[in-house]
Short mmCIF file of all heavy atoms in Angstrom, two decimals:
data_model
loop_
_atom_site.label_atom_id
_atom_site.label_comp_id
_atom_site.label_asym_id
_atom_site.label_seq_id
_atom_site.Cartn_x
_atom_site.Cartn_y
_atom_site.Cartn_z
N ALA A 144 -4.61 -7.83 13.35
CA ALA A 144 -5.28 -6.99 14.34
C ALA A 144 -4.41 -6.80 15.58
O ALA A 144 -4.77 -7.22 16.68
CB ALA A 144 -6.62 -7.61 14.72
N PRO A 145 -3.26 -6.13 15.44
CA PRO A 145 -2.39 -5.94 16.59
C PRO A 145 -2.98 -5.00 17.65
O PRO A 145 -2.55 -5.02 18.80
CB PRO A 145 -1.12 -5.35 15.98
CG PRO A 145 -1.58 -4.69 14.72
CD PRO A 145 -2.69 -5.55 14.22
N GLY A 146 -3.95 -4.18 17.26
CA GLY A 146 -4.56 -3.24 18.21
C GLY A 146 -5.64 -3.85 19.06
O GLY A 146 -6.17 -3.18 19.97
N TYR A 147 -6.01 -5.10 18.79
CA TYR A 147 -7.01 -5.79 19.60
C TYR A 147 -6.32 -6.59 20.70
O TYR A 147 -5.09 -6.53 20.84
CB TYR A 147 -7.87 -6.70 18.70
CG TYR A 147 -8.92 -5.95 17.91
CD1 TYR A 147 -8.57 -5.09 16.87
CD2 TYR A 147 -10.28 -6.10 18.20
CE1 TYR A 147 -9.53 -4.40 16.15
CE2 TYR A 147 -11.25 -5.42 17.48
CZ TYR A 147 -10.88 -4.57 16.45
OH TYR A 147 -11.82 -3.88 15.74
N THR A 148 -7.08 -7.34 21.48
CA THR A 148 -6.52 -8.11 22.59
C THR A 148 -7.08 -9.53 22.56
O THR A 148 -8.04 -9.83 21.84
CB THR A 148 -6.86 -7.49 23.94
OG1 THR A 148 -8.29 -7.59 24.16
CG2 THR A 148 -6.44 -6.02 23.99
N ASP A 149 -6.49 -10.39 23.38
CA ASP A 149 -6.98 -11.76 23.48
C ASP A 149 -8.42 -11.78 23.97
O ASP A 149 -9.23 -12.61 23.54
CB ASP A 149 -6.08 -12.55 24.44
CG ASP A 149 -6.42 -14.03 24.47
OD1 ASP A 149 -6.95 -14.53 23.47
OD2 ASP A 149 -6.17 -14.67 25.50
N ALA A 150 -8.78 -10.86 24.84
CA ALA A 150 -10.14 -10.81 25.40
C ALA A 150 -11.14 -10.18 24.44
O ALA A 150 -12.34 -10.43 24.55
CB ALA A 150 -10.13 -10.05 26.73
N ALA A 151 -10.66 -9.37 23.52
CA ALA A 151 -11.54 -8.68 22.56
C ALA A 151 -10.88 -8.73 21.20
O ALA A 151 -10.08 -7.87 20.84
CB ALA A 151 -11.78 -7.23 23.00
N ARG A 152 -11.21 -9.78 20.43
CA ARG A 152 -10.56 -10.03 19.14
C ARG A 152 -11.35 -9.42 17.99
O ARG A 152 -12.56 -9.23 18.07
CB ARG A 152 -10.41 -11.54 18.92
CG ARG A 152 -9.42 -12.19 19.85
CD ARG A 152 -9.36 -13.69 19.66
NE ARG A 152 -8.29 -14.27 20.47
CZ ARG A 152 -7.04 -14.40 20.08
NH1 ARG A 152 -6.69 -14.02 18.86
NH2 ARG A 152 -6.12 -14.90 20.88
N ALA A 153 -10.66 -9.17 16.90
CA ALA A 153 -11.30 -8.75 15.67
C ALA A 153 -11.84 -9.97 14.95
O ALA A 153 -11.12 -10.93 14.71
CB ALA A 153 -10.31 -8.02 14.77
N GLY A 154 -13.12 -9.95 14.62
CA GLY A 154 -13.73 -11.07 13.94
C GLY A 154 -13.82 -10.83 12.44
O GLY A 154 -14.33 -9.79 12.00
N ILE A 155 -13.32 -11.77 11.65
CA ILE A 155 -13.38 -11.67 10.20
C ILE A 155 -13.82 -13.03 9.65
O ILE A 155 -13.33 -14.07 10.08
CB ILE A 155 -12.03 -11.27 9.59
CG1 ILE A 155 -11.65 -9.85 10.01
CG2 ILE A 155 -12.06 -11.37 8.07
CD1 ILE A 155 -10.33 -9.37 9.45
N THR A 156 -14.75 -13.00 8.69
CA THR A 156 -15.19 -14.20 8.01
C THR A 156 -14.80 -14.12 6.54
O THR A 156 -15.08 -13.13 5.87
CB THR A 156 -16.72 -14.38 8.12
OG1 THR A 156 -17.07 -14.57 9.49
CG2 THR A 156 -17.18 -15.59 7.31
N VAL A 157 -14.12 -15.16 6.06
CA VAL A 157 -13.73 -15.26 4.65
C VAL A 157 -14.40 -16.52 4.10
O VAL A 157 -14.04 -17.63 4.48
CB VAL A 157 -12.19 -15.36 4.51
CG1 VAL A 157 -11.79 -15.47 3.05
CG2 VAL A 157 -11.53 -14.14 5.16
N SER A 158 -15.40 -16.33 3.22
CA SER A 158 -16.21 -17.48 2.82
C SER A 158 -16.52 -17.47 1.33
O SER A 158 -16.74 -16.42 0.72
CB SER A 158 -17.52 -17.52 3.61
OG SER A 158 -18.31 -16.39 3.35
N ASN A 159 -16.51 -18.67 0.76
CA ASN A 159 -16.97 -18.91 -0.62
C ASN A 159 -16.23 -18.06 -1.66
O ASN A 159 -16.82 -17.63 -2.66
CB ASN A 159 -18.48 -18.68 -0.72
CG ASN A 159 -19.25 -19.61 0.20
OD1 ASN A 159 -18.90 -20.78 0.36
ND2 ASN A 159 -20.28 -19.10 0.83
N ASN A 160 -14.96 -17.82 -1.43
CA ASN A 160 -14.12 -17.12 -2.40
C ASN A 160 -13.26 -18.12 -3.18
O ASN A 160 -13.02 -19.24 -2.73
CB ASN A 160 -13.18 -16.14 -1.68
CG ASN A 160 -13.93 -15.13 -0.85
OD1 ASN A 160 -14.50 -14.17 -1.36
ND2 ASN A 160 -13.94 -15.33 0.47
N THR A 161 -12.77 -17.68 -4.33
CA THR A 161 -11.78 -18.44 -5.08
C THR A 161 -10.47 -17.67 -5.08
O THR A 161 -10.44 -16.51 -5.48
CB THR A 161 -12.24 -18.67 -6.54
OG1 THR A 161 -13.44 -19.46 -6.52
CG2 THR A 161 -11.17 -19.39 -7.33
N PHE A 162 -9.41 -18.31 -4.61
CA PHE A 162 -8.07 -17.73 -4.60
C PHE A 162 -7.24 -18.51 -5.62
O PHE A 162 -6.99 -19.70 -5.44
CB PHE A 162 -7.43 -17.85 -3.22
CG PHE A 162 -8.12 -17.06 -2.15
CD1 PHE A 162 -9.21 -17.60 -1.47
CD2 PHE A 162 -7.68 -15.80 -1.81
CE1 PHE A 162 -9.85 -16.88 -0.46
CE2 PHE A 162 -8.31 -15.07 -0.80
CZ PHE A 162 -9.40 -15.62 -0.13
N GLN A 163 -6.81 -17.85 -6.68
CA GLN A 163 -6.10 -18.54 -7.76
C GLN A 163 -4.78 -17.84 -8.08
O GLN A 163 -4.76 -16.62 -8.27
CB GLN A 163 -6.96 -18.59 -9.02
CG GLN A 163 -6.27 -19.26 -10.20
CD GLN A 163 -7.21 -19.50 -11.36
OE1 GLN A 163 -8.35 -19.90 -11.17
NE2 GLN A 163 -6.73 -19.25 -12.57
N ASP A 164 -3.70 -18.63 -8.11
CA ASP A 164 -2.39 -18.11 -8.49
C ASP A 164 -2.02 -16.89 -7.66
O ASP A 164 -1.80 -15.80 -8.18
CB ASP A 164 -2.35 -17.80 -9.99
CG ASP A 164 -2.54 -19.05 -10.83
OD1 ASP A 164 -2.16 -20.13 -10.34
OD2 ASP A 164 -3.08 -18.96 -11.94
N ARG A 165 -1.92 -17.12 -6.35
CA ARG A 165 -1.70 -16.04 -5.40
C ARG A 165 -0.27 -15.99 -4.87
O ARG A 165 0.00 -15.29 -3.93
CB ARG A 165 -2.67 -16.16 -4.21
CG ARG A 165 -4.13 -16.16 -4.57
CD ARG A 165 -4.59 -14.94 -5.31
NE ARG A 165 -4.08 -13.73 -4.72
CZ ARG A 165 -3.51 -12.76 -5.40
NH1 ARG A 165 -3.36 -12.86 -6.71
NH2 ARG A 165 -3.09 -11.69 -4.81
N GLY A 166 0.63 -16.77 -5.41
CA GLY A 166 2.01 -16.70 -4.94
C GLY A 166 2.25 -17.47 -3.67
O GLY A 166 1.82 -18.60 -3.52
N ARG A 167 2.93 -16.86 -2.71
CA ARG A 167 3.43 -17.58 -1.54
C ARG A 167 2.32 -18.01 -0.58
O ARG A 167 2.26 -19.17 -0.16
CB ARG A 167 4.44 -16.72 -0.80
CG ARG A 167 5.00 -17.40 0.44
CD ARG A 167 5.97 -16.51 1.16
NE ARG A 167 6.33 -17.05 2.47
CZ ARG A 167 7.03 -16.40 3.38
NH1 ARG A 167 7.46 -15.18 3.11
NH2 ARG A 167 7.30 -16.93 4.54
N VAL A 168 1.46 -17.07 -0.14
CA VAL A 168 0.41 -17.40 0.82
C VAL A 168 -0.89 -16.74 0.36
O VAL A 168 -0.92 -15.55 0.06
CB VAL A 168 0.75 -16.89 2.24
CG1 VAL A 168 -0.31 -17.37 3.23
CG2 VAL A 168 2.12 -17.38 2.69
N PHE A 169 -1.97 -17.51 0.36
CA PHE A 169 -3.25 -16.98 -0.08
C PHE A 169 -3.92 -16.17 1.05
O PHE A 169 -4.45 -15.09 0.82
CB PHE A 169 -4.18 -18.11 -0.50
CG PHE A 169 -3.74 -18.84 -1.75
CD1 PHE A 169 -2.41 -19.12 -2.01
CD2 PHE A 169 -4.67 -19.28 -2.66
CE1 PHE A 169 -2.01 -19.80 -3.15
CE2 PHE A 169 -4.29 -19.98 -3.81
CZ PHE A 169 -2.97 -20.23 -4.05
N LEU A 170 -3.93 -16.73 2.27
CA LEU A 170 -4.48 -16.04 3.44
C LEU A 170 -3.40 -15.98 4.51
O LEU A 170 -2.89 -17.01 4.94
CB LEU A 170 -5.70 -16.77 3.98
CG LEU A 170 -7.01 -16.64 3.22
CD1 LEU A 170 -8.08 -17.52 3.87
CD2 LEU A 170 -7.47 -15.19 3.18
N HIS A 171 -3.08 -14.78 4.96
CA HIS A 171 -1.99 -14.54 5.90
C HIS A 171 -2.61 -13.90 7.15
O HIS A 171 -2.92 -12.71 7.15
CB HIS A 171 -0.98 -13.60 5.23
CG HIS A 171 0.32 -13.46 5.93
ND1 HIS A 171 0.65 -12.36 6.68
CD2 HIS A 171 1.40 -14.30 5.99
CE1 HIS A 171 1.87 -12.50 7.17
NE2 HIS A 171 2.34 -13.66 6.77
N ILE A 172 -2.82 -14.70 8.21
CA ILE A 172 -3.63 -14.29 9.35
C ILE A 172 -2.75 -14.22 10.60
O ILE A 172 -2.13 -15.22 10.99
CB ILE A 172 -4.78 -15.29 9.57
CG1 ILE A 172 -5.61 -15.42 8.29
CG2 ILE A 172 -5.65 -14.87 10.74
CD1 ILE A 172 -6.52 -16.62 8.27
N HIS A 173 -2.73 -13.05 11.24
CA HIS A 173 -1.88 -12.86 12.42
C HIS A 173 -2.52 -11.89 13.42
O HIS A 173 -3.48 -11.21 13.11
CB HIS A 173 -0.49 -12.32 12.00
CG HIS A 173 0.43 -13.37 11.47
ND1 HIS A 173 1.33 -14.06 12.26
CD2 HIS A 173 0.58 -13.88 10.23
CE1 HIS A 173 2.00 -14.93 11.53
NE2 HIS A 173 1.55 -14.83 10.29
N ASP A 174 -1.92 -11.86 14.60
CA ASP A 174 -2.31 -10.97 15.69
C ASP A 174 -3.65 -11.41 16.28
O ASP A 174 -4.03 -12.55 16.15
CB ASP A 174 -2.32 -9.51 15.24
CG ASP A 174 -0.99 -9.10 14.60
OD1 ASP A 174 0.06 -9.39 15.20
OD2 ASP A 174 -1.01 -8.54 13.50
N PHE A 175 -4.37 -10.50 16.92
CA PHE A 175 -5.53 -10.88 17.73
C PHE A 175 -6.80 -10.96 16.89
O PHE A 175 -7.75 -10.19 17.06
CB PHE A 175 -5.69 -9.90 18.89
CG PHE A 175 -4.57 -9.98 19.90
CD1 PHE A 175 -3.60 -9.00 19.96
CD2 PHE A 175 -4.47 -11.08 20.75
CE1 PHE A 175 -2.56 -9.08 20.87
CE2 PHE A 175 -3.43 -11.16 21.68
CZ PHE A 175 -2.47 -10.17 21.74
N LEU A 176 -6.79 -11.90 15.97
CA LEU A 176 -7.93 -12.15 15.10
C LEU A 176 -8.62 -13.45 15.50
O LEU A 176 -7.99 -14.39 15.96
CB LEU A 176 -7.46 -12.30 13.65
CG LEU A 176 -7.50 -11.04 12.80
CD1 LEU A 176 -6.62 -11.20 11.59
CD2 LEU A 176 -8.94 -10.75 12.37
N ASP A 177 -9.93 -13.47 15.31
CA ASP A 177 -10.70 -14.70 15.36
C ASP A 177 -11.30 -14.87 13.97
O ASP A 177 -12.28 -14.21 13.61
CB ASP A 177 -11.80 -14.62 16.42
CG ASP A 177 -12.52 -15.94 16.60
OD1 ASP A 177 -12.25 -16.88 15.83
OD2 ASP A 177 -13.38 -16.03 17.50
N ALA A 178 -10.69 -15.71 13.14
CA ALA A 178 -11.04 -15.82 11.73
C ALA A 178 -11.90 -17.06 11.49
O ALA A 178 -11.61 -18.14 11.99
CB ALA A 178 -9.78 -15.90 10.88
N THR A 179 -12.97 -16.88 10.71
CA THR A 179 -13.78 -18.00 10.24
C THR A 179 -13.54 -18.14 8.75
O THR A 179 -13.82 -17.21 7.97
CB THR A 179 -15.27 -17.76 10.51
OG1 THR A 179 -15.48 -17.62 11.92
CG2 THR A 179 -16.10 -18.92 9.98
N ILE A 180 -12.98 -19.28 8.34
CA ILE A 180 -12.62 -19.52 6.95
C ILE A 180 -13.44 -20.71 6.47
O ILE A 180 -13.27 -21.82 6.97
CB ILE A 180 -11.12 -19.83 6.81
CG1 ILE A 180 -10.27 -18.83 7.61
CG2 ILE A 180 -10.71 -19.86 5.35
CD1 ILE A 180 -10.39 -17.40 7.18
N THR A 181 -14.33 -20.50 5.50
CA THR A 181 -15.23 -21.58 5.12
C THR A 181 -15.59 -21.53 3.64
O THR A 181 -15.82 -20.45 3.09
CB THR A 181 -16.51 -21.54 5.98
OG1 THR A 181 -17.37 -22.61 5.63
CG2 THR A 181 -17.27 -20.23 5.81
N GLY A 182 -15.61 -22.71 3.01
CA GLY A 182 -16.12 -22.83 1.66
C GLY A 182 -15.29 -22.19 0.56
O GLY A 182 -15.81 -21.95 -0.53
N ASN A 183 -14.02 -21.92 0.82
CA ASN A 183 -13.16 -21.27 -0.17
C ASN A 183 -12.44 -22.31 -1.04
O ASN A 183 -12.25 -23.45 -0.64
CB ASN A 183 -12.11 -20.39 0.52
CG ASN A 183 -12.75 -19.32 1.37
OD1 ASN A 183 -13.23 -18.32 0.87
ND2 ASN A 183 -12.75 -19.53 2.68
N THR A 184 -12.04 -21.89 -2.23
CA THR A 184 -11.23 -22.72 -3.12
C THR A 184 -9.88 -22.07 -3.30
O THR A 184 -9.80 -20.87 -3.60
CB THR A 184 -11.91 -22.85 -4.49
OG1 THR A 184 -13.18 -23.50 -4.32
CG2 THR A 184 -11.05 -23.67 -5.45
N PHE A 185 -8.81 -22.84 -3.08
CA PHE A 185 -7.45 -22.37 -3.25
C PHE A 185 -6.80 -23.20 -4.35
O PHE A 185 -6.76 -24.42 -4.24
CB PHE A 185 -6.65 -22.53 -1.95
CG PHE A 185 -7.25 -21.83 -0.76
CD1 PHE A 185 -8.14 -22.50 0.07
CD2 PHE A 185 -6.93 -20.52 -0.47
CE1 PHE A 185 -8.69 -21.87 1.17
CE2 PHE A 185 -7.48 -19.88 0.64
CZ PHE A 185 -8.37 -20.55 1.45
N LEU A 186 -6.29 -22.55 -5.39
CA LEU A 186 -5.70 -23.35 -6.46
C LEU A 186 -4.60 -22.60 -7.18
O LEU A 186 -4.53 -21.37 -7.18
CB LEU A 186 -6.79 -23.78 -7.46
CG LEU A 186 -7.50 -22.67 -8.24
CD1 LEU A 186 -6.98 -22.63 -9.67
CD2 LEU A 186 -9.00 -22.89 -8.25
N LYS A 187 -3.71 -23.40 -7.77
CA LYS A 187 -2.65 -22.89 -8.62
C LYS A 187 -2.73 -23.57 -9.98
O LYS A 187 -3.02 -24.76 -10.05
CB LYS A 187 -1.27 -23.13 -8.00
CG LYS A 187 -0.95 -22.24 -6.80
CD LYS A 187 0.39 -22.63 -6.21
CE LYS A 187 0.79 -21.71 -5.06
NZ LYS A 187 1.26 -20.41 -5.54
N THR A 188 -2.45 -22.83 -11.02
CA THR A 188 -2.44 -23.42 -12.36
C THR A 188 -1.02 -23.60 -12.87
O THR A 188 -0.82 -24.13 -13.96
CB THR A 188 -3.22 -22.53 -13.35
OG1 THR A 188 -2.59 -21.24 -13.43
CG2 THR A 188 -4.65 -22.36 -12.89
N GLU A 189 -0.02 -23.15 -12.08
CA GLU A 189 1.38 -23.30 -12.45
C GLU A 189 2.16 -23.91 -11.30
O GLU A 189 1.73 -23.85 -10.14
CB GLU A 189 2.00 -21.94 -12.81
CG GLU A 189 1.31 -21.21 -13.95
CD GLU A 189 1.86 -19.81 -14.15
OE1 GLU A 189 3.01 -19.58 -13.72
OE2 GLU A 189 1.17 -18.98 -14.72
N ASP A 190 3.30 -24.51 -11.61
CA ASP A 190 4.18 -25.06 -10.59
C ASP A 190 4.89 -23.91 -9.90
O ASP A 190 5.80 -23.29 -10.46
CB ASP A 190 5.19 -26.01 -11.24
CG ASP A 190 6.08 -26.68 -10.22
OD1 ASP A 190 5.81 -26.55 -9.01
OD2 ASP A 190 7.06 -27.32 -10.62
N ASP A 191 4.46 -23.57 -8.68
CA ASP A 191 5.00 -22.41 -7.98
C ASP A 191 4.84 -22.63 -6.48
O ASP A 191 3.81 -23.12 -6.03
CB ASP A 191 4.23 -21.15 -8.41
CG ASP A 191 4.79 -19.88 -7.80
OD1 ASP A 191 5.84 -19.41 -8.26
OD2 ASP A 191 4.17 -19.36 -6.84
N PHE A 192 5.87 -22.28 -5.71
CA PHE A 192 5.83 -22.48 -4.27
C PHE A 192 4.71 -21.64 -3.65
O PHE A 192 4.49 -20.49 -4.02
CB PHE A 192 7.16 -22.09 -3.63
CG PHE A 192 7.11 -22.09 -2.13
CD1 PHE A 192 7.15 -23.28 -1.42
CD2 PHE A 192 6.98 -20.90 -1.42
CE1 PHE A 192 7.07 -23.28 -0.04
CE2 PHE A 192 6.92 -20.90 -0.03
CZ PHE A 192 6.96 -22.10 0.65
N GLY A 193 4.04 -22.22 -2.65
CA GLY A 193 3.04 -21.46 -1.91
C GLY A 193 2.06 -22.37 -1.21
O GLY A 193 2.03 -23.58 -1.45
N TYR A 194 1.25 -21.78 -0.34
CA TYR A 194 0.28 -22.57 0.41
C TYR A 194 -0.94 -21.71 0.72
O TYR A 194 -0.93 -20.49 0.53
CB TYR A 194 0.89 -23.15 1.68
CG TYR A 194 1.68 -22.20 2.54
CD1 TYR A 194 1.12 -21.60 3.65
CD2 TYR A 194 3.02 -21.93 2.24
CE1 TYR A 194 1.87 -20.74 4.45
CE2 TYR A 194 3.77 -21.08 3.04
CZ TYR A 194 3.18 -20.48 4.14
OH TYR A 194 3.92 -19.64 4.91
N ALA A 195 -2.01 -22.36 1.15
CA ALA A 195 -3.31 -21.69 1.25
C ALA A 195 -3.36 -20.71 2.41
O ALA A 195 -3.76 -19.56 2.24
CB ALA A 195 -4.43 -22.73 1.38
N MET A 196 -2.99 -21.17 3.62
CA MET A 196 -3.22 -20.34 4.81
C MET A 196 -2.05 -20.38 5.76
O MET A 196 -1.40 -21.41 5.92
CB MET A 196 -4.47 -20.83 5.55
CG MET A 196 -5.77 -20.46 4.89
SD MET A 196 -7.19 -21.08 5.82
CE MET A 196 -7.22 -22.78 5.28
N GLU A 197 -1.84 -19.24 6.41
CA GLU A 197 -0.91 -19.16 7.53
C GLU A 197 -1.68 -18.52 8.68
O GLU A 197 -2.06 -17.36 8.62
CB GLU A 197 0.30 -18.32 7.18
CG GLU A 197 1.30 -18.17 8.32
CD GLU A 197 2.56 -17.42 7.90
OE1 GLU A 197 3.26 -17.94 7.01
OE2 GLU A 197 2.80 -16.33 8.44
N LEU A 198 -1.93 -19.31 9.71
CA LEU A 198 -2.63 -18.83 10.91
C LEU A 198 -1.58 -18.76 12.01
O LEU A 198 -1.18 -19.79 12.55
CB LEU A 198 -3.76 -19.79 11.27
CG LEU A 198 -4.73 -19.38 12.37
CD1 LEU A 198 -5.61 -18.23 11.90
CD2 LEU A 198 -5.60 -20.57 12.78
N GLY A 199 -1.08 -17.55 12.30
CA GLY A 199 0.09 -17.44 13.14
C GLY A 199 -0.05 -16.47 14.30
O GLY A 199 -1.08 -15.83 14.49
N SER A 200 1.01 -16.37 15.07
CA SER A 200 1.14 -15.55 16.27
C SER A 200 -0.08 -15.71 17.16
O SER A 200 -0.45 -16.82 17.49
CB SER A 200 1.44 -14.08 15.90
OG SER A 200 0.39 -13.50 15.15
#
Side-chain angles (χ1 to χ4, degrees):
Y147 282 69
T148 67
D149 187 27
R152 292 177 174 272
I155 294 180
T156 296
V157 180
S158 63
N159 300 321
N160 303 283
T161 297
F162 295 85
Q163 178 171 318
D164 297 331
R165 302 301 315 132
R167 180 181 170 189
V168 185
F169 293 39
L170 284 176
H171 192 256
I172 304 164
H173 280 267
D174 307 312
F175 293 106
L176 266 161
D177 186 355
T179 299
I180 314 298
T181 182
N183 301 283
T184 298
F185 303 91
L186 64 104
K187 287 176 177 284
T188 61
E189 301 174 22
D190 183 10
D191 184 76
F192 172 77
Y194 48 99
M196 285 179 280
E197 179 175 298
L198 188 70
S200 62

